[in-house]
Amino acid sequence: MANSNSSSYTTGMEETKRSTEVCLTFPPKVISPGLATILVEKDKDEPLMTYSGPRLHCQMVVIFVLTQIIHRLLEKLGLPLFISQILAGILLSPMLFSDQHSLVNISEDSVSVLGTVGALGFVFFLFLSGVKMDLSLTLKSGKKAICIGLLTVVVPLIFCMTTIKNLHPEGNEFSNKSFFLAVTYSGTSFPVIHNLLSELKILNSELGRLGLSAALIGDIVTLVLTVFSLWVKTGIEKGIKEALMDVGLALLFIVIVVFVLRPVMKWMVKRTPEAGQIKDMCFFIVVLAFMMSPRFTKLFRVYFLFGPFILGLAVPDGPPLGSALVEKLDPIISGLFLPIFATTCGLRFDPSYFKDSTKFAYHQAIGAVVTLLIKFVVSLLVPLLCKMPTRDSFALAFIMISKGIVEMGSYSIMNDSRVISEDIFTHMTIVIILVASIVPILVKKLYDPSRKYLCFQKRTIMNSKLNQELRLISCVHVPSNVSSIINLFNASCLIRDSSIALDVLHLVKLSGRATPLFIAHHKQKKKQPNKSYSENVVLAFEQFERDNREAVSVNVFTAVSPPNLMYEDICNLAMDRLTSFIILPFHRRWYIDGSIESEDQTIRSLNFDILERAPCSIGILVEGRRNLKGSNVRDPLASNNSSSYNIAVIFMGGQDDREALALAKRISQDKNVSLTVIHFKAANSLGAILTENDRMLDDAMLSDIKQSKCLTYIEKQVKDGPETSNYLRSIVEDYQLIIVGRRYKRENPQTSGLQEWCEFQEIGIIGDLLSSADFIGKYSLLIVQQQQRTT
């Protein structure tokens, strides 16, 4: 057995004059000989948990299991996962587990290993937070965001210093760290607010965008004030010469990062092929620079947490470099290391320090609470003065005072480095837990972005006049969507008397940045860098507009946002533009033989979200099938001057079918369009679910069709779903476009027996039937749902 030596150290602190004695064993025991060996030899002096390797693994498992159990119990109350992680650390603290040979073994040696792993995760988190931030947005922030971000830091700071000075008049605001601590109380954390908005799914909302912009401004102000407070403290304690040296070295560090490292990373981005991935070598060089940044910050006398964050700010956001760093590192950091760090912060919490708190700690706690209240009042008054609704103003005020992992981690590190005492850390932990628990619940109660989607008027094609401009939105995910949408409108033979205002929304996944973007290209004078695909979309639709001058007007927008929140961009645009119809691409495309060409489940989830929330009618476009391996085969809707376009409408009754028929009538006014209405009627009326009102509306709409000489009306009686399927299979090849109503959860005799075979609920029974592999054809399919959300 290796010799064991003990060492001890004593540390003091100005405010508390506490001392700590820690005994460590050298050399440390890391790798165990194995569980079987220990059990066979039955060595009681060296149990398995004395080895740091297996002990760390067991602690990680216990932390994960306990955190998930607590979160399952608390998530119904609306509490975030961060609270469960902190509570798991409190439950595992030495108050409950202090036995040296217990499973978690919360000894000083144990906590040092676990804390090191967690601290690594926290530093990585700060680096990735810097990568996601786009400082250029500060120049584009509106006056409201700038005022909120600036005033919610400066005003509470002044009140905090005034409060502490009144409570402790004989103290020096700088030498006893009061000013530095006051900055931490009044500061705003962009990563914390971003995580809060993401968890509440309001990142893309109007309130979420304002909160992010204000948080970005506030975070920068906080960073500047924190650095300034450290310089002032150094000047008072060590002299003006040392303070000026710190300022000079810090500025030199920033110059090296901005004018050396950032150009190198931009050069890496330029060497990456368009829409390609960054080379692994470039990725590892950036990670190596991050790993070395804490050492460089020590050389340049910069607070070690600022180094990785500033380096992250220098990384070009978005693809290919920023997105590669976030996509590869964020899952393991946010999923493994950061939860461990949050739990180790909870391990440091000891309520016994409440009894032994010093007067200085009580004064700091009062100052922190006063700062929080003033920050809330300022965050509330500024939006109210800007005529923001009261509920939204309260929600924004709660967002701006939110606390989370950044504040918790900062206080934990300051506690470990003896910058603050244990009693101050205990008070701050209570404040953070209370604020982080209450804020999400109150914001969720106060702000519901879906309220504005409840329209007081019908925004449907049926309610639009034929000679009135029809406002549409078409969504684009991939290049093939562009040609499909253009071909769809070309098939409708656009005419001047029935013009269309088309808004094209290019949806891009948010990657490598934290702030969503919404770009109106018709307002952009300069081309956007790294937006080549959007540029191609703009060029394609500008040409389409020129080809159909006076019949269609096109505006192109780009929304860069998380896939699960893209519906916010679509619905907000529909509300702002008074849209009557939204065209969504289907998530799956097929080859001509029925095999799948491509599929994207995130698009399917987005389509479901839009179907539930849209403030107008919706159409899902299923592209016509193409030959295998992308052969050059004419799209069924592509321009063809030799013959007319054959469009069919499948009509069974109900509001969705009426909307589909209204759309077909709208796009078939040109003589080159041949429209056929196929009306399926039940041979046996038993089981029909149409109301008397629906029948009257159906008859009124069909009467115009029957009397028209320009349209073809076919009435087909069927007794069940299989007979409907057989008839459709016999006629689908005669048409280039088939329009059907979604008819969600509406099964009648004409579709009986087909519901159980329906794979895609979002396109309804008939839409799913026509898109199945049993129906071979090159036709495109448009499934229509009439506006649902009205008051």
Side-chain angles (χ1 to χ4, degrees):
M1 181 181 298
N3 295 329
S4 297
N5 300 318
S6 297
S7 64
S8 63
Y9 63 87
T10 301
T11 60
M13 186 181 176
E14 177 185 350
E15 289 86 356
T16 59
K17 298 181 180 179
R18 59 179 177 174
S19 62
T20 304
E21 184 175 290
V22 179
C23 296
L24 302 177
T25 302
F26 294 99
K29 300 175 183 179
V30 180
I31 302 175
S32 71
L35 181 62
T37 303
I38 292 177
L39 292 176
V40 170
E41 295 181 358
K42 298 181 180 180
D43 191 349
K44 296 182 179 180
D45 294 332
E46 293 188 358
L48 183 64
M49 290 299 107
T50 59
Y51 297 92
S52 59
R55 184 177 61 229
L56 177 63
H57 296 156
C58 290
Q59 288 172 339
M60 293 170 65
V61 171
V62 171
I63 288 172
F64 175 79
V65 172
L66 184 58
T67 299
Q68 293 302 315
I69 292 174
I70 297 174
H71 186 57
R72 294 301 179 191
L73 298 175
L74 299 181
E75 64 178 345
K76 294 182 179 179
L77 301 176
L79 298 181
L81 181 61
F82 166 71
I83 295 298
S84 301
Q85 295 164 353
I86 295 295
L87 293 179
I90 294 175
L91 292 178
L92 293 174
S93 63
M95 294 184 299
L96 300 178
F97 296 95
S98 57
D99 182 15
Q100 182 181 1
H101 305 313
S102 66
L103 182 62
V104 289
N105 194 2
I106 309 300
S107 62
E108 187 69 28
D109 185 24
S110 169
V111 171
S112 64
V113 175
L114 190 64
T116 301
V117 175
L120 177 64
F122 183 63
V123 176
F124 258 110
F125 171 75
L126 294 178
F127 170 68
L128 293 178
S129 298
V131 172
K132 295 176 184 179
M133 291 176 64
D134 184 4
L135 291 182
S136 64
L137 294 178
T138 58
L139 303 176
K140 305 174 184 178
S141 300
K143 295 181 180 179
K144 187 191 300 184
I146 294 175
C147 290
I148 295 173
L150 181 63
L151 294 179
T152 53
V153 176
V154 176
V155 175
L157 175 62
I158 295 174
F159 273 84
C160 180
M161 293 302 301
T162 304
T163 302
I164 295 177
K165 181 65 177 177
N166 292 333
L167 293 173
H168 193 63
E170 68 277 7
N172 186 296
E173 286 78 6
F174 296 102
S175 62
N176 62 12
K177 307 182 181 66
S178 291
F179 181 68
F180 173 74
L181 292 176
V183 173
T184 65
Y185 304 152
S186 62
T188 301
S189 173
F190 179 86
V192 170
I193 291 180
H194 177 270
N195 290 339
L196 171 66
L197 297 175
S198 298
E199 289 182 1
L200 296 177
K201 296 184 178 180
I202 57 174
L203 191 65
N204 282 18
S205 65
E206 184 179 357
L207 182 69
R209 292 179 185 274
L210 177 59
L212 277 181
S213 299
L216 183 60
I217 300 295
D219 204 337
I220 295 173
V221 174
T222 302
L223 179 63
V224 172
L225 289 175
T226 302
V227 174
F228 175 75
S229 67
L230 292 174
W231 289 341
V232 172
K233 177 178 175 295
T234 301
I236 291 176
E237 294 180 354
K238 299 181 181 180
I240 190 66
K241 185 177 180 180
E242 288 294 320
L244 292 176
M245 180 66 71
D246 286 356
V247 173
L249 290 174
L251 293 177
L252 179 61
F253 175 76
I254 294 175
V255 168
I256 293 174
V257 171
V258 173
F259 295 102
V260 178
L261 296 182
R262 184 171 173 82
V264 169
M265 289 184 281
K266 282 188 173 182
W267 176 79
M268 296 177 182
V269 172
K270 289 181 179 179
R271 286 178 57 95
T272 304
E274 184 177 318
Q277 294 185 348
I278 197 78
K279 292 182 179 180
D280 290 340
M281 179 62 68
C282 298
F283 174 84
F284 292 128
I285 289 175
V286 176
V287 174
L288 178 62
F290 155 73
M291 298 295 289
M292 296 174 62
S293 61
R295 178 62 180 172
F296 281 112
T297 56
K298 185 177 181 180
L299 293 176
F300 289 94
R301 298 186 184 182
V302 177
Y303 188 45
F304 78 98
L305 292 180
F306 292 162
F309 181 70
I310 294 174
L311 179 63
L313 290 175
V315 176
D317 63 293
L321 182 55
S323 59
L325 289 169
V326 173
E327 290 174 359
K328 292 181 180 181
L329 297 178
D330 195 55
I332 189 170
I333 299 303
S334 300
L336 177 63
F337 290 106
L338 201 60
I340 291 176
F341 178 74
T343 303
T344 58
C345 293
L347 286 171
R348 295 172 171 85
F349 178 76
D350 189 350
S352 64
Y353 283 97
F354 277 119
K355 302 177 181 178
D356 303 327
S357 292
T358 61
K359 183 181 295 186
F360 178 79
Y362 279 124
H363 293 167
Q364 292 297 319
I366 295 172
V369 173
V370 170
T371 304
L372 198 65
L373 295 176
I374 297 300
K375 190 179 183 74
F376 177 83
V377 172
V378 174
S379 304
L380 176 64
L381 290 179
V382 175
L384 288 176
L385 294 175
C386 296
K387 308 300 182 182
M388 183 181 286
T390 303
R391 290 177 64 92
D392 293 359
S393 299
F394 271 97
L396 180 62
F398 282 113
I399 289 173
M400 295 306 297
I401 68 168
S402 59
K403 305 290 183 183
I405 186 64
V406 173
E407 291 81 6
M408 194 75 237
S410 300
Y411 290 128
S412 296
I413 292 174
M414 286 190 286
N415 179 43
D416 290 344
S417 57
R418 301 300 190 261
V419 175
I420 62 174
S421 57
E422 292 282 1
D423 46 2
I424 294 179
F425 173 75
T426 302
H427 287 103
M428 293 303 104
T429 301
I430 292 296
V431 172
I432 292 173
I433 291 176
L434 290 176
V435 173
S437 301
I438 295 173
V439 165
I441 299 174
L442 294 178
V443 174
K444 196 170 184 179
K445 292 288 185 182
L446 290 168
Y447 186 70
D448 181 13
S450 64
R451 291 198 314 265
K452 59 185 176 183
Y453 304 146
L454 296 173
C455 299
F456 293 92
Q457 60 181 356
K458 280 284 187 180
R459 291 185 181 174
T460 65
I461 297 176
M462 285 185 62
N463 292 89
S464 301
K465 298 179 181 179
L466 287 177
N467 58 354
Q468 184 182 14
E469 184 181 58
L470 180 64
R471 294 185 173 273
L472 306 177
I473 291 178
S474 293
C475 298
V476 172
H477 294 280
V478 294
S480 63
N481 298 152
V482 176
S483 58
S484 298
I485 293 169
I486 291 177
N487 291 335
L488 173 65
F489 287 107
N490 284 333
S492 65
C493 298
L494 301 169
I495 58 177
R496 186 183 305 176
D497 295 336
S498 183
S499 61
I500 290 177
L502 177 62
D503 294 323
V504 179
L505 182 58
H506 176 210
L507 298 164
V508 181
K509 178 184 176 183
L510 181 68
S511 180
R513 58 185 305 146
T515 308
L517 291 179
F518 192 87
I519 304 169
H521 290 281
H522 59 281
K523 297 181 180 179
Q524 296 290 324
K525 296 181 180 179
K526 298 181 179 180
K527 293 183 178 179
Q528 295 293 317
N530 299 324
K531 304 288 189 303
S532 57
Y533 178 49
S534 290
E535 184 179 345
N536 293 334
V537 174
V538 173
L539 294 174
F541 280 99
E542 284 180 349
Q543 182 62 45
F544 170 68
E545 184 179 20
R546 287 192 293 268
D547 294 339
N548 298 273
R549 193 175 300 276
E550 297 184 1
V552 61
S553 60
V554 179
N555 288 314
V556 182
F557 304 86
T558 296
V560 184
S561 57
N564 65 325
L565 298 178
M566 285 179 177
Y567 67 87
E568 286 274 0
D569 295 305
I570 300 172
C571 293
N572 287 336
L573 183 62
M575 291 288 295
D576 295 339
R577 305 287 289 182
L578 301 178
T579 303
S580 298
F581 195 70
I582 300 174
I583 300 176
L584 305 171
F586 193 54
H587 73 280
R588 178 183 287 184
R589 294 187 298 157
W590 291 269
Y591 288 118
I592 192 65
D593 66 344
S595 60
I596 298 175
E597 179 186 358
S598 63
E599 185 174 16
D600 191 338
Q601 289 298 323
T602 58
I603 297 179
R604 186 185 186 193
S605 300
L606 174 62
N607 290 346
F608 270 114
D609 291 333
I610 298 298
L611 288 169
E612 293 176 1
R613 296 175 170 85
C616 60
S617 297
I618 308 157
I620 297 180
L621 179 62
V622 182
E623 297 180 22
R625 298 180 182 180
R626 305 193 292 187
N627 273 18
L628 291 171
K629 306 305 180 185
S631 299
N632 188 19
V633 177
R634 183 179 295 275
D635 189 284
L637 295 176
S639 178
N640 185 357
N641 296 324
S642 61
S643 62
S644 64
Y645 296 101
N646 297 320
I647 300 176
V649 177
I650 309 302
F651 190 90
M652 296 183 186
Q655 64 177 14
D656 291 347
D657 283 7
R658 292 193 296 271
E659 187 75 359
L661 186 54
L663 175 64
K665 289 172 63 178
R666 179 84 186 215
I667 67 176
S668 62
Q669 298 183 67
D670 192 271
K671 60 182 181 179
N672 291 327
V673 176
S674 176
L675 176 62
T676 301
V677 179
I678 303 173
H679 183 196
F680 285 101
K681 299 188 71 174
N684 184 357
S685 60
L686 295 177
I689 60 173
L690 290 177
T691 64
E692 187 63 30
N693 184 52
D694 276 331
R695 290 193 185 94
M696 291 176 59
L697 294 174
D698 291 345
D699 293 340
M701 195 158 194
L702 289 173
S703 63
D704 296 337
I705 301 295
K706 295 175 182 179
Q707 296 173 6
S708 177
K709 297 181 180 180
C710 302
L711 309 177
T712 302
Y713 174 77
I714 300 175
E715 187 175 297
K716 178 67 176 178
Q717 290 196 349
V718 293
K719 60 182 179 181
D720 55 18
E723 187 173 347
T724 301
S725 175
N726 291 333
Y727 180 79
L728 289 174
R729 187 180 289 107
S730 66
I731 57 98
V732 291
E733 293 187 359
D734 298 334
Y735 303 98
Q736 285 83 45
L737 174 64
I738 300 177
I739 305 176
V740 301
R742 185 190 181 203
R743 298 171 54 81
Y744 182 55
K745 292 184 178 180
R746 295 175 70 100
E747 186 174 11
N748 51 17
Q750 299 96 307
T751 58
S752 62
L754 299 178
Q755 176 66 42
E756 54 267 27
W757 300 99
C758 184
E759 181 180 2
F760 303 113
Q761 298 290 334
E762 65 269 30
I763 57 177
I765 298 174
I766 298 299
D768 182 82
L769 178 68
L770 292 172
S771 64
S772 65
D774 295 336
F775 284 71
I776 303 299
K778 299 179 182 178
Y779 56 89
S780 291
L781 188 62
L782 185 62
I783 298 90
V784 177
Q785 173 183 284
Q786 194 179 66
Q787 178 189 9
Q788 303 288 314
R789 300 173 66 84
T790 58
T791 56

